Amino acid sequence: MEINKYLKLEHVSKSFGELNVLNNFSVEFVPGRLNCILGPSGCGKTTLLNLIAGITAPDQMGTNNFENRKISYIFQDDRLLPWKTVKDNIRFVLHMHFNGEEMENAIARYIKLIELENFKDYYPLQLSGGMKRRVSIARAFSYPSEVVLLDEPFKGIDISLKQSLMLSLRMLWENEHRTLIYVTHDIDEAVLMGHRIYVLSSRPARVIGHFDQFENSGPGRALSPSENELKEKIRRLLIPDS
């Protein structure tokens, strides 16, 4: 892939008072792939996503070719509207982009993809935690975005449910091959899901390693010997004295 095809942030800096989170930070993401970001707690991973989304303003910025791209964001919490049903939560992000039958077809398609057809008229309070996460993922993918940001989308979810949600997410990606930028603390999750994995240092964050596995076949299986080797390389970067 040519370098000008990458999605870039270059020479970005961001501080919060005396807390220097990013200092002249640069990174290149692979379009159409699942890009995972690992790093110590508090190193600036969420700040990086917020800068990409335009939620947070940088103190300085060089190249930023995320500007003018449509972006969806899956936050750590579900952020579903409690007074709207499953289908109306999805409709909420579509009504300015589609009309009539086109919008209703899109809503039905994404509800089917997350296997919640029988719950489309339920409100968030009536759904399990896993169902709510699936709705938030479907809502983000239903929006006609080029880039989907995910901030620890499976945090605090038990392992069996996490596997199911990871499979749902991978299936949604395989339907459209959008650019995903995915923050996680879980090395296994990153190795199972990521086509490119970035490892960040403690703050001010910098990229201290990246690993490509573009033939990754996704979650729902045990790590292969080569993936276990990759996991160990990543672990040594994150915990150098271990």
Side-chain angles (χ1 to χ4, degrees):
M1 182 174 293
E2 297 176 13
I3 195 69
N4 63 0
K5 298 290 182 68
Y6 284 97
L7 290 167
K8 301 180 187 179
L9 288 179
E10 291 183 326
H11 310 301
V12 59
S13 296
K14 181 63 185 178
S15 296
F16 297 94
E18 298 297 316
L19 189 66
N20 187 6
V21 179
L22 300 172
N23 183 19
N24 201 32
F25 177 89
S26 296
V27 66
E28 297 170 342
F29 295 106
V30 186
R33 297 287 189 166
L34 210 160
N35 301 265
C36 280
I37 303 171
L38 287 161
S41 293
C43 75
K45 300 184 294 297
T46 296
T47 297
L48 177 59
L49 293 189
N50 288 343
L51 286 163
I52 291 170
I55 294 171
T56 297
D59 299 333
Q60 71 171 42
M61 177 79 80
T63 301
N64 175 11
N65 58 8
F66 286 92
E67 291 180 335
N68 302 317
R69 295 180 186 271
K70 289 183 178 179
I71 293 174
S72 329
Y73 202 145
I74 301 172
F75 297 91
Q76 289 185 24
D77 51 341
D78 301 310
R79 302 202 180 188
L80 299 179
L81 300 173
W83 59 90
K84 289 186 178 291
T85 63
V86 167
K87 64 183 180 184
D88 286 338
N89 264 281
I90 296 174
R91 181 178 287 111
F92 182 75
V93 301
L94 296 182
H95 72 277
M96 294 184 67
H97 302 278
F98 302 104
N99 290 310
E101 185 178 357
E102 186 180 18
M103 180 169 64
E104 296 308 312
N105 287 340
I107 293 166
R109 174 172 174 253
Y110 281 96
I111 289 175
K112 182 176 182 179
L113 281 170
I114 58 170
E115 300 179 340
L116 286 180
E117 297 104 311
N118 293 334
F119 299 89
K120 63 184 179 182
D121 295 314
Y122 281 49
Y123 291 89
L125 188 63
Q126 298 171 292
L127 303 176
S128 68
M131 288 177 176
K132 286 188 279 191
R133 292 310 284 163
R134 276 191 273 167
V135 176
S136 67
I137 291 168
R139 184 176 60 179
F141 274 85
S142 70
Y143 181 75
S145 59
E146 300 167 70
V147 179
V148 182
L149 307 178
L150 305 97
D151 190 5
E152 297 195 69
F154 310 132
K155 185 176 182 180
I157 293 175
D158 69 74
I159 186 66
S160 60
L161 180 54
K162 179 188 284 192
Q163 287 288 331
S164 172
L165 290 170
M166 286 168 66
L167 285 167
S168 295
L169 175 60
R170 181 71 176 219
M171 180 178 61
L172 286 167
W173 175 81
E174 287 174 350
N175 271 297
E176 299 166 2
H177 288 202
R178 289 189 231 181
T179 303
L180 272 60
I181 303 175
Y182 178 120
V183 163
T184 179
H185 278 96
D186 188 320
I187 300 176
D188 282 24
E189 196 175 301
V191 170
L192 285 168
M193 294 288 285
H195 298 119
R196 172 170 284 186
I197 301 168
Y198 301 82
V199 183
L200 304 189
S201 69
S202 56
R203 64 175 182 264
R206 58 190 177 86
V207 178
I208 56 175
H210 75 261
F211 304 92
D212 291 330
Q213 46 170 15
F214 291 143
E215 301 309 313
N216 182 347
S217 58
R221 57 190 171 79
L223 292 176
S224 68
S226 62
E227 288 171 328
N228 274 311
E229 184 179 342
L230 173 57
K231 176 183 172 181
E232 183 59 24
K233 288 179 182 177
I234 294 170
R235 191 180 66 82
R236 286 198 296 267
L237 280 174
L238 288 170
I239 314 170
D241 297 328
S242 63

